[in-house]
Amino acid sequence: MKTLERFGIKPLDGAESREGKRWNVMEKLFLGLTLDQYLNQVVRNKFNWILTAIMAVGIPFIIYRFIFGLGSVTHSSYEYPWGLFLGFGLFCMVPLSASGFMLGTTVEIFGRHDFEPIERLALLNGLLGYFFAVVYLLVDLGQPWRLAYPMVYAWGPAAVLFLVGWHVATYLSVQVAEVSVSFFEWIGWPNAKKFIRKGTIGLTVSGIILSTLHQGALGALFTYAPGKVHPLWYSSEFQWIHYFTSSIPGGLCMVIAVSTIVIMTMAWRCDDRFKDNLDDLTIKLAKGASMGLITYLVIKLIAVAHDNEWVYLATGWGVWWMLEILGGVVLPLVLFAYGIRHKMVTMVRIGAFVTIAGILLNRLNTALIAFNWKLYQEIPHIAEIIISITIFAIYIATYRFILNRLPILYQWKAQTQEAEVSVAVTASPEREQEIPARA
Amino acid sequence: MSKVSRRKFLAGSLAGGAAVMLSPAKNAMAAGSFAGFPEGMGVLVDMTRCVGCRSCEAACNKEQKLPAPDQPFDDYSVFDQTFHHGTQKRRPTEKAYTVVNRYEPEGSDKPVYRKIQCNHCNEPACLTSCFVNAYTKTNEGAVVYDGSVCVGCRNCMIACPFHIPGYSYSKVIDPVVKKCIFCYDTRVKYGKPPACVEICPAQVLTFGKRKDLLKIARARIKKNPGKYQAEIYGEKTVGGTGWLYLSGEPFEQLGFDTTLQKEPIINNVKGFLGTVPMVLAIWPALFTGFHLLATKNKGHDDHHDSDAEEGEE
Amino acid sequence: MFVDSKWHMKSLLILLSGLFLTLPAYAMDAPESVTIDALAKYYEPVEFDHEMHVDVSEDCSSCHHHTTGTGTADQYCSKCHSEYKELVKVACQDCHPTQPFSAEVVNLQSQQDIFHADMNGLVGAYHQNCMGCHQEVGGPTGCEDCHARTEAGDEFYHAGKYAPTTAEHATAGH
């Protein structure tokens, strides 16, 4: 894309081309480039090659799993019934997707319209995270074709998973509606967009309710396993609060992380509103994340005190737990505090990545590593790892595909306005200088 | 603007929060605690009697029409098998609903054999964790499972404190949970003892009403205090189990998890389940209120407030 | 008093019903050998050498509790059964039910006024008694040391010609 820009070719960013011609859907899909230009830039991008390689290896494994059953790609473990597909796919993707409801609430409920440039990215991050959590779930379920049973056919309303199922399903619909605004702009259905915009507050509030409950419910799922999850990671009273509070920095840091990657690799797609506000917004998001993190840290310690588990800290598991807390919670807090105070965006961004790593470690610890701590440690089957990576690659590919097209990082121009186009054209060469990676 | 959004909010939250309707049921199910059906049956396992003949395994295999075993049921070398780097003994699987393991406790001159199978809890964790209600605790005390609604989430395997349910991972089309069902369909429903109990030559297994078995177990301990451990495993564990164990050696030396809580597993989850209706009821008003306060007298393009407020947990 | 005719009638009954043999009260009246065939489905009937066991056991009460009129060595039992009185019910199966978990027996468990509510079934009583002693004195303890297995038994245990052909040891537990 950078190469193309050198020749003055701009990607599509509105309903009409510079000459005033309305784009059709096919042209929109090719970003307003000719087929030749489009394919060339796809092939030029090395990252596409990596993704293709991963999928070329992994997709056959996914097909293999559906032909020969779960037993063919996992250890068929009775002790670890939930492997990487859920341990990583569900329990890690969902907290990192809390961004949708966080930013939705900030902008729509608290009226903080200064966050608007990044709101859509947060909403999309939420939608895709949930969607791919469901994809992981479908790979993991023994009988995925019965996924709708708890909705329509067989109700087990006393089960936490029943809540998770219902809430993730309804929240996914809410998120589709929220993100559909961008889609309707892009495809050119202004009335549909207007219809959804009218329900924004309702959608956002249902988003908060559903997120509070199912982020918490994912934690509450482990309260069923008191003898299996190590006491330091287990708390019948606070587990759901841990999962909920940690999803707040998780979601916010994911937005920081994704925006960082985007600005480094896809700057051509970001408009000036996004670029100019990003540093400021990153700091603001980090402030929110710090508050979430400190709350999380306090409740984590309260849980240890409540169940009087201090004695476990002196064991090997205790060291591992403290590593998780120090590295995944305290370290990013320090980075954030320093970065926010001195307006050092890079430090804040590093803090965000560390936070994400901390959340991932916490979820993997609860679901896999400190699970069955009295029995034995299981290393996931190689095919399980490959499939998990492949689905993540598909997730990234989908993410990029949408970011390239829908007006997430840029504002859609419904009518050609000569002034705006010329501004964008002059702005882009300057931007290119400070961006190290290619489009 | 605020009037419109209030109305829209109501419409939106009704549509979005369809699960609101279900919350009362959750609470009703979670309320109180359940001590088992009064006439529920159980089995008392007296491990001082077991000689490890594995006939129960053979009977189970035949009764439940399970696949042929990998080794004959009179092959006692299976007691030497270990798994996962020697840390685990045999366990129930999709091909065997019950297995007998041999233990050599310290200071005991002869080995102790322990039969494991589903303990048929009074308040089963598998049942309460199942989101399609595939499990049923019958009046007879059996915990049975309906594979036709199972989605295959395997939450029951996570929840079972005894690591009992197996899963037919190898099946592609209809993988289901495989566990002991107390021979409910073929025997217990008709008042007959399960196949393992019937075959047991040494009457290690005593079939009866759970409440009577507790009396019998206490009487055995009282009559022979030197022979038995003082406690009955399963009397209180996780809310009580239908299968009860008597032992001559300390239970923790025989692979029993003696650290399990006395309360049913579902009690640990009730705290969260209780917050669900609260969140559903309070959040809409709370956040709509926040919205009205935050946006009062402010235009849409308001930029001057720069304090971060997004930590609204 | 124990009468011969009654003994014969009884054995006839037992043979007819295909159930267990019973043991007489006095060693001198005891049969030399008893055929035990409750598990006849999977095992051949056992020829129990009663005479030999009479010779090696210290006391009739080792097996017959207090019913033979020779008293009981167990202090616990002797609290009630201290009289040296021979009972009408002497045979194992007179007290130990062949169907230990039939509805009637299970109902007995809950009756407060029955002292011996925890009664072993006949098979359980035999094995606990035999095995306990055999383990102590070094008698045979393996199943097939006493019982010859039938073909149905081989099938039941997946042994002999019904043994699995490929033993997959690694998958036996997981």
Side-chain angles (χ1 to χ4, degrees):
Chain A
M1 205 36 97
K2 205 170 138 190
T3 321
L4 283 174
E5 273 182 27
R6 215 169 285 144
F7 295 101
I9 297 165
K10 283 281 299 161
L12 172 146
D13 63 351
E16 295 172 6
S17 70
R18 249 185 286 178
E19 290 77 34
K21 184 174 76 70
R22 285 192 78 81
W23 301 107
N24 66 30
V25 175
M26 208 55 197
E27 287 164 331
K28 283 176 181 171
L29 279 176
F30 286 129
L31 303 169
L33 309 174
T34 65
L35 183 62
D36 200 34
Q37 285 171 336
Y38 180 78
L39 289 180
N40 270 322
Q41 64 91 21
V42 167
V43 172
R44 255 199 316 275
N45 192 329
K46 301 281 187 301
F47 193 62
N48 283 337
W49 286 95
I50 300 174
L51 288 181
T52 313
I54 294 175
M55 287 186 217
V57 175
I59 288 175
F61 273 96
I62 298 178
I63 297 167
Y64 188 80
R65 175 256 174 272
F66 282 102
I67 296 175
F68 296 102
L70 262 180
S72 62
V73 294
T74 67
H75 289 310
S76 308
S77 174
Y78 300 126
E79 279 86 9
Y80 288 87
W82 292 346
L84 266 190
F85 299 148
L86 294 191
F88 173 74
L90 185 69
F91 291 107
C92 293
M93 293 293 269
V94 169
L96 298 184
S97 310
S99 57
F101 94 93
M102 295 304 308
L103 268 285
T105 309
T106 311
V107 176
E108 307 296 342
I109 302 297
F110 291 99
R112 291 293 304 273
H113 295 282
D114 49 328
F115 282 96
E116 247 169 37
I118 210 161
E119 185 195 2
R120 285 188 173 181
L121 178 63
L123 290 178
L124 178 70
N125 180 63
L127 171 64
L128 288 179
Y130 275 91
F131 181 79
F132 278 89
V134 174
V135 172
Y136 276 108
L137 181 67
L138 285 173
V139 172
D140 186 71
L141 286 180
Q143 313 212 22
W145 47 89
R146 289 182 181 169
L147 184 62
Y149 272 27
M151 310 286 155
V152 291
Y153 181 59
W155 284 10
V160 171
L161 200 62
F162 185 77
L163 280 172
V164 177
W166 266 89
H167 290 174
V168 169
T170 40
Y171 187 48
L172 205 51
S173 331
V174 167
Q175 287 190 310
V176 168
E178 286 176 334
V179 173
S180 66
V181 171
S182 319
F183 176 74
F184 291 140
E185 279 182 2
W186 180 78
I187 199 97
W189 297 343
N191 290 334
K193 179 192 164 183
K194 242 181 266 169
F195 174 76
I196 297 286
R197 282 304 293 179
K198 277 187 196 162
T200 303
I201 299 295
L203 286 175
T204 312
V205 172
S206 8
I208 308 171
I209 298 170
L210 297 169
S211 296
T212 312
L213 289 178
H214 71 244
Q215 292 285 0
L218 283 182
L221 276 180
F222 287 102
T223 55
Y224 281 110
K228 300 184 183 175
V229 179
H230 188 281
L232 284 173
W233 282 270
Y234 180 89
S235 166
S236 70
E237 283 86 2
F238 300 105
Q239 195 92 8
W240 74 273
I241 306 179
H242 287 157
Y243 270 56
F244 174 64
T245 51
S246 59
S247 77
I248 289 165
L252 294 177
C253 290
M254 191 65 179
V255 176
I256 299 178
V258 171
S259 65
T260 306
I261 296 170
V262 158
I263 204 75
M264 285 168 74
T265 63
M266 292 172 67
W268 59 271
R269 187 69 284 184
C270 310
D271 65 4
D272 294 332
R273 188 180 74 139
F274 185 82
K275 289 179 193 167
D276 295 342
N277 284 307
L278 186 58
D279 286 358
D280 184 39
L281 287 178
T282 303
I283 300 280
K284 284 182 183 171
L285 288 173
K287 283 184 192 169
S290 319
M291 282 188 230
L293 274 179
I294 193 100
T295 315
Y296 174 57
L297 178 64
V298 169
I299 304 176
K300 269 294 230 192
L301 294 175
I302 289 176
V304 175
H306 183 275
D307 295 333
N308 199 12
E309 288 155 348
W310 301 108
V311 63
Y312 288 106
L313 290 181
T315 65
W317 285 111
V319 173
W320 183 237
W321 184 85
M322 284 190 281
L323 252 170
E324 180 199 308
I325 294 295
L326 290 176
V329 184
V330 178
L331 174 65
L333 267 174
V334 172
L335 290 172
F336 281 150
Y338 196 80
I340 292 168
R341 181 155 184 85
H342 299 279
K343 298 272 173 213
M344 292 166 72
V345 181
T346 313
M347 182 164 285
V348 166
R349 285 179 171 152
I350 294 170
F353 278 99
V354 176
T355 308
I356 291 173
I359 305 276
L360 293 187
L361 183 60
N362 173 261
R363 298 306 195 263
L364 289 176
N365 270 338
T366 318
L368 292 173
I369 300 170
F371 192 80
N372 281 339
W373 63 290
K374 291 182 205 163
L375 298 185
Y376 63 97
Q377 193 57 56
E378 186 164 273
I379 310 293
H381 193 282
I382 180 73
E384 203 176 328
I385 299 173
I386 291 173
I387 290 178
S388 301
I389 293 173
T390 309
I391 297 174
F392 200 76
I394 300 174
Y395 161 75
I396 294 173
T398 314
Y399 214 138
R400 284 171 82 231
F401 182 86
I402 294 174
L403 283 183
N404 280 342
R405 285 158 184 82
L406 295 193
I408 305 285
L409 301 170
Y410 67 102
Q411 282 179 297
W412 186 253
K413 300 184 187 72
Q415 253 87 47
T416 319
Q417 285 161 339
E418 287 302 326
E420 265 187 63
V421 173
S422 58
V423 167
V425 167
T426 50
S428 51
E430 302 163 16
R431 287 286 154 195
E432 258 182 73
Q433 312 310 320
E434 42 180 275
I435 295 150
R438 79 183 58 75
Chain B
M1 187 240 161
S2 64
K3 271 181 189 163
V4 174
S5 50
R6 228 183 341 241
R7 202 166 55 235
K8 295 300 168 205
F9 146 70
L10 278 174
S13 64
L14 278 179
V20 176
M21 310 306 292
L22 304 164
S23 53
K26 265 164 228 138
N27 243 14
M29 294 282 286
S33 74
F34 177 68
F37 293 109
E39 300 298 297
M41 306 303 285
V43 171
L44 176 65
V45 186
D46 190 333
M47 291 189 292
T48 63
R49 297 176 175 181
C50 185
V51 294
C53 74
R54 298 186 68 212
S55 296
C56 48
E57 292 186 38
C60 178
N61 178 281
K62 185 167 187 269
E63 181 75 20
Q64 297 297 329
K65 302 183 174 63
L66 296 172
D70 296 323
Q71 281 137 292
F73 285 112
D74 62 354
D75 181 348
Y76 303 119
S77 70
V78 294
F79 294 135
D80 299 319
Q81 286 178 357
T82 56
F83 304 89
H84 304 291
H85 311 290
T87 59
Q88 307 298 310
K89 288 181 182 289
R90 299 192 311 145
R91 54 151 293 154
T93 67
E94 58 175 302
K95 292 159 86 179
Y97 295 168
T98 184
V99 294
V100 177
N101 280 322
R102 185 185 61 207
Y103 292 85
E104 269 130 22
E106 301 158 30
S108 171
D109 51 346
K110 55 180 188 178
V112 178
Y113 297 91
R114 172 193 174 202
K115 174 188 187 294
I116 41 180
Q117 72 297 307
C118 172
N119 283 328
H120 299 277
C121 302
N122 289 341
E123 215 168 332
C126 54
L127 184 152
T128 48
S129 74
C130 181
F131 74 155
V132 289
N133 233 356
Y135 288 90
T136 310
K137 174 85 177 169
T138 71
N139 288 333
E140 296 85 349
V143 178
V144 296
Y145 161 84
D146 174 9
S148 73
V149 296
C150 180
V151 180
C153 72
R154 310 193 291 288
N155 201 354
C156 47
M157 299 167 73
I158 293 279
C160 176
F162 304 110
H163 302 273
I164 293 302
Y167 194 71
S168 47
Y169 282 103
S170 50
K171 290 263 188 67
V172 184
I173 298 303
D174 190 27
V176 287
V177 167
K178 299 286 230 171
K179 78 162 193 77
C180 158
I181 53 163
F182 212 0
C183 292
Y184 179 72
D185 294 342
T186 49
R187 295 170 151 271
V188 169
K189 190 160 74 176
Y190 306 108
K192 291 194 325 185
C196 54
V197 172
E198 193 172 87
I199 198 78
C200 179
Q203 205 165 329
V204 176
L205 311 171
T206 305
F207 176 71
K209 286 176 188 155
R210 183 177 187 271
K211 54 178 186 179
D212 298 331
L213 295 178
L214 282 170
K215 279 187 231 152
I216 290 174
R218 283 192 206 106
R220 284 191 201 168
I221 296 170
K222 189 181 168 192
K223 185 177 167 188
N224 243 322
K227 180 179 172 189
Y228 290 105
Q229 296 290 310
E231 67 268 50
I232 306 163
Y233 192 89
E235 182 181 11
K236 297 270 165 59
T237 309
V238 294
T241 57
W243 281 61
L244 306 159
Y245 285 82
L246 280 179
S247 172
E249 303 296 330
F251 284 100
E252 54 272 16
Q253 291 189 26
L254 307 173
F256 286 88
D257 189 347
T258 50
T259 63
L260 288 175
Q261 61 193 44
K262 298 276 176 279
E263 304 80 35
I265 301 283
I266 187 68
N267 283 14
N268 300 16
V269 191
K270 280 179 185 170
F272 171 71
L273 290 175
T275 62
V276 172
M278 305 298 283
V279 168
L280 287 170
I282 295 170
W283 261 216
L286 191 67
F287 281 90
T288 316
F290 283 157
H291 171 66
L292 295 177
L293 286 173
T295 55
K296 196 166 165 47
N297 302 328
K298 283 184 186 175
H300 226 76
D301 301 314
D302 182 32
H303 281 269
H304 48 71
D305 186 6
S306 61
D307 283 300
E309 289 181 68
E310 55 274 18
E312 65 267 346
E313 67 277 354
Chain C
M1 208 51 210
F2 200 75
V3 228
D4 258 4
S5 62
K6 194 177 174 187
W7 155 241
H8 288 304
M9 221 170 71
K10 218 161 201 173
S11 12
L12 190 68
L13 263 174
I14 287 148
L15 286 173
L16 280 176
S17 56
L19 291 176
F20 277 74
L21 258 232
T22 158
L23 302 179
Y26 284 125
M28 60 191 88
D29 297 335
E32 286 179 10
S33 156
V34 176
T35 305
I36 301 173
D37 56 359
L39 278 176
K41 204 166 151 198
Y42 301 133
Y43 290 102
E44 303 287 354
V46 174
E47 285 301 321
F48 176 67
D49 189 344
H50 191 260
E51 199 173 28
M52 186 273 281
H53 284 89
V54 168
D55 290 342
V56 296
S57 64
E58 295 164 10
D59 187 338
C60 294
S61 74
S62 314
C63 296
H64 287 279
H65 313 297
H66 54 84
T67 56
T68 50
T70 55
T72 172
D74 190 325
Q75 288 198 321
Y76 186 85
C77 303
S78 67
K79 283 178 185 168
C80 297
H81 305 287
S82 54
E83 288 177 45
Y84 284 65
K85 184 186 165 196
E86 189 194 347
L87 302 186
V88 182
K89 291 178 169 184
V90 178
C92 301
Q93 68 131 32
D94 286 349
C95 291
H96 295 285
T98 49
Q99 298 291 329
F101 304 112
S102 63
E104 310 95 270
V105 181
V106 168
N107 278 334
L108 283 180
Q109 290 175 350
S110 47
Q111 314 237 328
Q112 295 292 324
D113 53 349
I114 293 181
F115 184 79
H116 291 298
D118 182 15
M119 174 77 75
N120 276 313
L122 191 57
V123 181
Y126 275 139
H127 282 101
Q128 280 176 38
N129 220 339
C130 302
M131 294 289 278
C133 203
H134 280 204
Q135 279 171 344
E136 277 170 34
V137 303
T141 52
C143 302
E144 284 172 277
D145 297 343
C146 297
H147 313 263
R149 202 159 57 204
T150 61
E151 184 165 346
D154 280 351
E155 191 179 356
F156 178 74
Y157 286 96
H158 291 267
K161 73 173 183 181
Y162 296 94
T165 42
T166 50
E168 293 167 37
H169 293 262
T171 58
H174 283 266

